[in-house]
Amino acid sequence: MTKTALVVGASGIVGSATSTLLAAQGWSVHGLARRPAGQAGVQPIAADLQDATATAAALRDLNPDAVFITTWLRQDSEAENIRVNSAMVRNLLDALPKPSVPRHVALVTGLKHYLGPFEAYGKGTLPQTPFREEQGRLDVENFYYAQEDEVFAAAARDGFTWSVHRPHTVIGMAVGNAMNMGTTLAVYATLCREKGRPFTFPGSAAQWSGLTDMTDAGQLARHLIWAAETETAHDQAFNVVNGDIFRWQWMWERIARWFEVEAAPFDGTVRPLEQQMAEDAALWREIALREGLAEPDLGRLASPWHTDADLGRPIEVVTDMSKSRRLGFTAYQPTDDAFFALFERLRAERLIP
């Protein structure tokens, strides 16, 4: 029998990649979003998870074998992040009928589980790396913990299995996404090339010279489906990264060469992209109109605040995947290839020239 999947946040970086892979593997895929985008093989469901009544109405006839929660809404404070995002998970799981067949619910969070929320990101007592899943929660409010608790409570009530997936920075394709380093760097490099500016690393010395890793959206999609289909992976939390490690001083040069721009030597000064790109909206619109690009609004493509947060950390950040490897997940994705594939897709879809 064909399995049914509900992908929550289907128009985002992770959700769209997961929906595509599920459809390719023969699942019947339903994609929930506030404003669903047309996607081959995905049946759209329009719903605002903040509205419990509307969510229940939208999902009343769906009894999925697997649910993939890949969305969240950024708020002005961590208290509001907790209130809004925990309610969204609660409304979703309350809206679904109690499963009549085995059901698995996968929740995507991230490394802020170890680093703390944006308000305290990389501050105070810094955690030991590589991050491992047995490291407990920090003694600080964190909306990831609140989301997990909603999943755990619903699982105890309704009897489904669950998994939590903690990627590092995700590389993938989505317009209007709040956390999109790959597209942000592509847009920044394009602006540098346009004006002959040096391609200047925006982050910290620790990130420039230390080791790091990242997570391709396709790699994360494979991990999500693997956990749903692997009994020994049920009721577990997992880190998920590409499997390679690199230093930004190496990756920055590779990205610069792809865009045919000059990578400026890093002198130890933090130069955030939010400052570097603060006055670039009009320039981007000019480029988009001249080149016939699909998105002239810089704010819908670039998220410099998030790239600054990742590249400005005062410690190197690497992630251990031994737990997944021991249970049989062996997929691997070179991170530079993930960047280059994204850049090619952005160009093919007329989002960069």
Side-chain angles (χ1 to χ4, degrees):
M1 292 181 62
T2 300
K3 289 184 178 181
T4 299
L6 173 63
V7 179
V8 183
S11 61
I13 291 177
V14 178
S16 60
T18 304
S19 297
T20 297
L21 185 57
L22 286 163
Q25 293 184 358
W27 289 65
S28 174
V29 184
H30 299 260
L32 185 150
R34 283 179 296 170
R35 293 177 294 276
Q39 189 173 356
V42 179
Q43 302 172 58
I45 299 174
D48 182 348
L49 293 178
Q50 296 182 83
D51 186 332
T53 301
T55 300
L59 297 177
R60 63 176 175 266
D61 298 323
L62 192 63
N63 187 20
D65 299 279
V67 180
F68 302 93
I69 305 173
T70 70
T71 190
W72 70 287
L73 285 177
R74 187 187 182 204
Q75 305 299 310
D76 291 336
S77 68
E78 193 61 17
E80 279 298 288
N81 277 333
I82 290 168
R83 183 186 68 81
V84 170
N85 289 287
S86 63
M88 288 167 59
V89 174
R90 183 168 61 253
N91 291 343
L92 167 73
L93 297 177
D94 286 351
L96 291 169
K98 189 168 183 177
S100 58
V101 295
R103 177 181 297 163
H104 185 80
V105 174
L107 171 68
V108 177
T109 61
L111 295 194
K112 288 188 291 297
H113 182 93
Y114 309 106
L115 287 162
F118 287 120
E119 292 176 2
Y121 203 48
K123 300 175 183 176
T125 301
L126 298 174
Q128 184 183 64
T129 60
F131 295 135
R132 292 182 170 85
E133 293 89 346
E134 63 264 24
Q135 292 173 234
R137 292 181 175 184
L138 301 174
D139 187 18
V140 61
E141 290 189 330
N142 190 322
F143 82 88
Y144 283 170
Y145 306 160
Q147 287 181 307
E148 286 183 345
D149 288 343
E150 294 294 344
V151 171
F152 301 157
R157 178 192 69 203
D158 293 339
F160 58 75
T161 59
W162 55 267
S163 56
V164 175
H165 303 255
R166 299 170 185 159
H168 199 165
T169 305
V170 177
I171 304 169
M173 176 79 177
V175 175
N177 191 273
M179 300 191 300
N180 195 337
M181 180 189 286
T183 303
T184 298
L185 293 181
V187 169
Y188 173 59
T190 302
L191 291 164
C192 289
R193 188 177 61 207
E194 176 75 11
K195 287 298 184 182
R197 300 177 193 164
F199 187 57
T200 302
F201 183 71
S204 67
Q207 288 300 301
W208 178 254
S209 59
L211 293 170
T212 193
D213 49 30
M214 293 183 74
T215 308
D216 178 68
Q219 174 82 337
L220 178 50
R222 291 187 286 272
H223 196 258
L224 287 163
I225 299 170
W226 165 78
E229 296 181 327
T230 303
E231 186 174 349
T232 53
H234 292 171
D235 302 335
Q236 302 265 4
F238 296 100
N239 298 327
V240 50
V241 288
N242 288 335
D244 64 346
I245 55 175
F246 63 93
R247 302 180 200 276
W248 272 108
Q249 60 189 7
W250 174 81
M251 187 69 77
W252 201 251
E253 288 281 354
R254 290 183 65 74
I255 294 173
R257 284 200 299 271
W258 199 95
F259 283 97
E260 300 180 332
V261 294
E262 179 186 353
F266 179 66
D267 63 5
T269 304
V270 177
R271 295 180 172 88
L273 287 181
E274 270 202 304
Q275 295 176 15
Q276 292 193 54
M277 300 173 69
E279 306 299 327
D280 283 338
L283 175 58
W284 182 260
R285 185 170 295 276
E286 177 184 319
I287 295 169
L289 293 175
R290 186 188 71 217
E291 302 290 341
L293 301 184
E295 182 51 73
D297 184 350
L298 180 64
R300 284 184 50 76
L301 290 175
S303 52
W305 69 272
H306 179 258
T307 299
D308 288 340
D310 277 3
L311 298 184
R313 296 173 184 148
I315 57 171
E316 68 176 18
V317 176
V318 287
T319 314
D320 183 78
M321 274 196 69
S322 298
K323 186 176 182 180
S324 293
R325 303 301 188 208
R326 289 187 180 105
L327 293 177
F329 182 80
T330 59
Y332 170 83
Q333 170 64 60
T335 300
D336 52 344
D337 288 354
F339 272 123
F340 301 154
L342 171 63
F343 300 156
E344 292 285 3
R345 186 176 174 191
L346 290 169
R347 185 165 285 173
E349 299 196 16
R350 302 303 301 158
L351 288 165
I352 60 171

Coordinates of all heavy atoms in Angstrom, one line a residue, residues 2-3 5 7 10 12-30 39-42 68 70 216-229 240 329 331 333 345:
T2 N 0.4 2.3 -0.7 CA 1.1 3.6 -0.7 C 1.0 4.2 0.6 O 0.0 4.4 1.2 CB 0.5 4.5 -1.8 OG1 0.6 3.9 -3.1 CG2 1.3 5.8 -1.8
K3 N 2.2 4.7 1.1 CA 2.2 5.4 2.4 C 1.9 6.9 2.2 O 2.2 7.5 1.1 CB 3.6 5.3 3.1 CG 3.9 3.9 3.6 CD 5.2 3.9 4.3 CE 5.5 2.6 4.9 NZ 6.8 2.6 5.7
A5 N 2.2 10.8 3.5 CA 3.0 11.7 4.3 C 2.4 13.1 4.3 O 1.8 13.6 3.3 CB 4.4 11.9 3.7
V7 N 3.8 16.9 5.0 CA 5.0 17.7 5.2 C 4.5 19.1 5.6 O 3.8 19.7 4.9 CB 5.8 17.8 3.9 CG1 7.0 18.7 4.1 CG2 6.3 16.4 3.5
A10 N 5.8 22.9 3.7 CA 6.2 22.3 2.5 C 6.9 23.3 1.5 O 7.5 22.9 0.5 CB 5.0 21.6 1.8
G12 N 9.1 25.6 2.3 CA 10.4 26.0 2.8 C 11.5 25.2 2.3 O 11.4 24.3 1.5
I13 N 12.8 25.5 2.7 CA 13.9 24.8 2.2 C 13.9 23.3 2.5 O 14.1 22.5 1.6 CB 15.2 25.4 2.9 CG1 15.5 26.8 2.4 CG2 16.4 24.6 2.6 CD1 16.6 27.5 3.0
V14 N 13.6 23.0 3.8 CA 13.6 21.6 4.2 C 12.3 20.9 3.7 O 12.4 19.8 3.2 CB 13.8 21.5 5.7 CG1 13.7 20.0 6.1 CG2 15.1 22.1 6.2
G15 N 11.2 21.6 3.8 CA 9.9 21.0 3.5 C 9.9 20.6 2.0 O 9.4 19.6 1.6
S16 N 10.3 21.6 1.1 CA 10.2 21.3 -0.3 C 11.2 20.2 -0.7 O 10.8 19.3 -1.5 CB 10.6 22.6 -1.1 OG 11.9 23.0 -0.8
A17 N 12.4 20.1 -0.1 CA 13.3 19.0 -0.4 C 12.7 17.7 0.0 O 12.8 16.6 -0.7 CB 14.6 19.3 0.2
T18 N 12.1 17.7 1.2 CA 11.5 16.4 1.7 C 10.3 16.0 0.9 O 10.2 14.8 0.6 CB 11.1 16.6 3.2 OG1 12.2 17.1 4.0 CG2 10.6 15.4 3.8
S19 N 9.5 16.9 0.5 CA 8.3 16.6 -0.3 C 8.8 16.0 -1.6 O 8.2 15.0 -2.1 CB 7.5 17.9 -0.6 OG 7.0 18.4 0.6
T20 N 9.8 16.6 -2.3 CA 10.3 16.1 -3.5 C 10.8 14.7 -3.4 O 10.5 13.8 -4.3 CB 11.4 17.0 -4.1 OG1 10.9 18.3 -4.3 CG2 12.0 16.5 -5.3
L21 N 11.6 14.4 -2.4 CA 12.1 13.0 -2.2 C 11.0 12.0 -1.9 O 11.1 10.9 -2.4 CB 13.2 13.1 -1.1 CG 14.0 11.8 -0.9 CD1 14.6 11.3 -2.2 CD2 15.0 11.9 0.2
L22 N 10.1 12.4 -1.0 CA 9.0 11.5 -0.7 C 8.2 11.1 -2.0 O 7.9 9.9 -2.2 CB 8.1 12.1 0.3 CG 8.5 12.2 1.7 CD1 7.7 13.2 2.5 CD2 8.4 10.8 2.4
A23 N 7.9 12.1 -2.8 CA 7.2 11.8 -4.0 C 8.0 10.9 -5.0 O 7.4 10.0 -5.6 CB 6.8 13.2 -4.7
A24 N 9.3 11.2 -5.0 CA 10.1 10.3 -5.9 C 10.2 8.9 -5.4 O 10.4 8.0 -6.2 CB 11.5 10.9 -6.0
Q25 N 10.0 8.7 -4.1 CA 10.0 7.3 -3.5 C 8.6 6.7 -3.5 O 8.5 5.6 -2.9 CB 10.6 7.4 -2.1 CG 12.1 7.8 -2.1 CD 12.7 7.7 -0.7 OE1 12.1 7.4 0.3 NE2 14.0 8.0 -0.7
G26 N 7.6 7.3 -4.1 CA 6.3 6.7 -4.2 C 5.3 7.0 -3.1 O 4.3 6.4 -3.1
W27 N 5.6 7.9 -2.2 CA 4.7 8.3 -1.1 C 3.6 9.2 -1.7 O 3.8 9.9 -2.7 CB 5.4 9.1 0.0 CG 6.3 8.3 0.8 CD1 7.5 7.7 0.5 CD2 6.2 8.1 2.2 NE1 8.1 7.2 1.6 CE2 7.3 7.4 2.7 CE3 5.2 8.5 3.2 CZ2 7.5 7.0 4.0 CZ3 5.5 8.1 4.5 CH2 6.6 7.4 4.9
S28 N 2.4 9.1 -1.1 CA 1.4 10.1 -1.4 C 1.6 11.3 -0.5 O 1.6 11.1 0.8 CB 0.0 9.5 -1.1 OG -1.0 10.5 -1.2
V29 N 2.0 12.5 -1.0 CA 2.5 13.6 -0.3 C 1.5 14.7 -0.2 O 1.0 15.2 -1.2 CB 3.8 14.1 -0.9 CG1 4.4 15.2 0.0 CG2 4.8 13.0 -1.1
H30 N 1.2 15.1 1.0 CA 0.4 16.3 1.3 C 1.3 17.4 1.9 O 2.0 17.1 2.9 CB -0.8 16.0 2.2 CG -1.7 15.0 1.7 ND1 -2.9 15.2 1.1 CD2 -1.6 13.6 1.7 CE1 -3.5 14.1 0.8 NE2 -2.7 13.1 1.1
Q39 N 4.0 22.3 -6.5 CA 5.1 21.4 -6.5 C 4.6 20.1 -7.0 O 3.6 19.5 -6.6 CB 5.7 21.2 -5.1 CG 7.0 20.5 -5.0 CD 7.6 20.5 -3.6 OE1 7.1 21.1 -2.7 NE2 8.7 19.8 -3.5
A40 N 5.3 19.5 -8.0 CA 5.0 18.3 -8.7 C 4.9 17.2 -7.6 O 5.8 17.0 -6.8 CB 6.0 17.9 -9.8
G41 N 3.8 16.4 -7.7 CA 3.6 15.2 -6.8 C 3.2 15.5 -5.4 O 3.2 14.6 -4.6
V42 N 2.9 16.8 -5.2 CA 2.5 17.2 -3.8 C 1.1 17.8 -3.8 O 0.8 18.7 -4.6 CB 3.5 18.3 -3.2 CG1 3.0 18.7 -1.8 CG2 4.9 17.7 -3.2
F68 N 6.1 15.3 8.9 CA 7.4 15.9 8.9 C 7.2 17.4 9.2 O 6.7 18.1 8.4 CB 8.1 15.7 7.6 CG 8.3 14.2 7.2 CD1 7.4 13.6 6.5 CD2 9.4 13.5 7.7 CE1 7.5 12.2 6.1 CE2 9.5 12.2 7.4 CZ 8.6 11.5 6.6
T70 N 8.6 20.8 9.6 CA 9.8 21.5 9.1 C 9.7 23.0 9.1 O 10.4 23.7 8.4 CB 10.2 21.1 7.7 OG1 9.2 21.6 6.7 CG2 10.2 19.6 7.5
D216 N 23.1 19.8 3.9 CA 22.3 20.0 2.6 C 20.9 19.6 2.9 O 20.6 18.6 3.6 CB 22.9 19.2 1.5 CG 22.2 19.3 0.2 OD1 22.2 20.3 -0.4 OD2 21.6 18.3 -0.2
A217 N 19.9 20.3 2.2 CA 18.5 20.0 2.4 C 18.2 18.6 2.0 O 17.3 17.9 2.6 CB 17.6 21.1 1.7
G218 N 18.8 18.2 0.9 CA 18.6 16.8 0.4 C 19.1 15.8 1.4 O 18.4 14.7 1.6
Q219 N 20.2 16.0 2.0 CA 20.7 15.1 3.1 C 19.8 15.1 4.2 O 19.5 14.0 4.8 CB 22.1 15.6 3.5 CG 22.7 14.9 4.7 CD 23.4 13.6 4.3 OE1 23.2 13.0 3.2 NE2 24.4 13.2 5.1
L220 N 19.2 16.2 4.6 CA 18.3 16.2 5.8 C 17.0 15.5 5.4 O 16.5 14.7 6.2 CB 18.0 17.7 6.1 CG 17.0 17.9 7.3 CD1 17.2 17.0 8.5 CD2 16.9 19.4 7.6
A221 N 16.5 15.6 4.1 CA 15.3 14.9 3.7 C 15.6 13.4 3.8 O 14.7 12.6 4.2 CB 15.0 15.3 2.3
R222 N 16.7 12.9 3.3 CA 17.0 11.5 3.4 C 17.0 11.0 4.8 O 16.6 9.9 5.1 CB 18.4 11.2 2.7 CG 18.4 11.4 1.2 CD 19.7 10.9 0.6 NE 20.8 11.9 0.8 CZ 21.1 12.9 0.1 NH1 20.4 13.2 -1.0 NH2 22.2 13.7 0.4
H223 N 17.6 11.8 5.7 CA 17.6 11.5 7.1 C 16.3 11.4 7.7 O 16.0 10.5 8.5 CB 18.5 12.5 7.9 CG 19.0 12.1 9.2 ND1 18.4 12.5 10.4 CD2 20.0 11.2 9.6 CE1 19.0 12.0 11.4 NE2 20.0 11.2 11.0
L224 N 15.4 12.3 7.4 CA 14.0 12.3 7.9 C 13.3 11.1 7.5 O 12.6 10.4 8.3 CB 13.3 13.6 7.4 CG 13.6 14.9 8.0 CD1 13.1 16.0 7.1 CD2 13.1 15.0 9.4
I225 N 13.4 10.7 6.2 CA 12.7 9.5 5.7 C 13.3 8.3 6.3 O 12.6 7.3 6.7 CB 12.6 9.5 4.2 CG1 11.9 10.8 3.7 CG2 12.0 8.3 3.7 CD1 12.0 11.0 2.2
W226 N 14.6 8.2 6.4 CA 15.3 7.1 7.0 C 14.8 6.8 8.4 O 14.4 5.7 8.8 CB 16.8 7.3 7.0 CG 17.5 6.4 8.0 CD1 17.9 5.1 7.7 CD2 18.0 6.7 9.3 NE1 18.5 4.6 8.8 CE2 18.6 5.5 9.8 CE3 17.9 7.8 10.1 CZ2 19.2 5.5 11.1 CZ3 18.5 7.8 11.3 CH2 19.1 6.7 11.8
A227 N 14.7 7.9 9.3 CA 14.2 7.7 10.6 C 12.8 7.3 10.7 O 12.4 6.4 11.5 CB 14.4 9.0 11.4
A228 N 11.9 7.8 9.8 CA 10.5 7.4 9.8 C 10.4 5.9 9.5 O 9.5 5.2 10.0 CB 9.8 8.2 8.8
E229 N 11.3 5.4 8.6 CA 11.2 4.0 8.1 C 12.0 3.0 8.9 O 12.0 1.8 8.6 CB 11.5 3.9 6.6 CG 10.6 4.7 5.8 CD 10.9 4.7 4.3 OE1 12.1 4.6 4.0 OE2 10.0 4.7 3.5
V240 N 22.3 15.8 12.3 CA 22.3 15.5 10.9 C 23.1 16.5 10.2 O 22.7 17.7 10.1 CB 20.9 15.2 10.3 CG1 20.0 16.3 10.6 CG2 21.0 15.0 8.8
F329 N 22.5 4.9 8.9 CA 22.4 6.0 8.0 C 23.8 6.3 7.5 O 24.6 6.8 8.3 CB 21.7 7.2 8.7 CG 21.5 8.3 7.7 CD1 20.5 8.4 6.8 CD2 22.4 9.4 7.7 CE1 20.3 9.4 5.9 CE2 22.3 10.5 6.8 CZ 21.2 10.5 5.9
A331 N 24.4 8.1 4.3 CA 24.5 9.1 3.2 C 25.5 10.2 3.5 O 25.7 10.5 4.7 CB 23.1 9.7 3.0
Q333 N 27.3 14.0 1.7 CA 27.1 15.0 0.8 C 28.2 16.0 0.9 O 28.3 16.8 2.0 CB 25.8 15.8 1.0 CG 25.6 17.0 0.2 CD 25.6 16.8 -1.3 OE1 24.8 16.0 -1.8 NE2 26.6 17.4 -2.0
R345 N 21.1 26.0 -9.5 CA 19.7 26.0 -9.5 C 19.1 27.4 -9.5 O 18.2 27.8 -10.1 CB 19.1 25.2 -8.4 CG 17.6 25.0 -8.4 CD 17.1 24.1 -7.3 NE 15.7 24.1 -7.3 CZ 14.9 23.6 -6.3 NH1 15.5 23.0 -5.3 NH2 13.6 23.7 -6.3

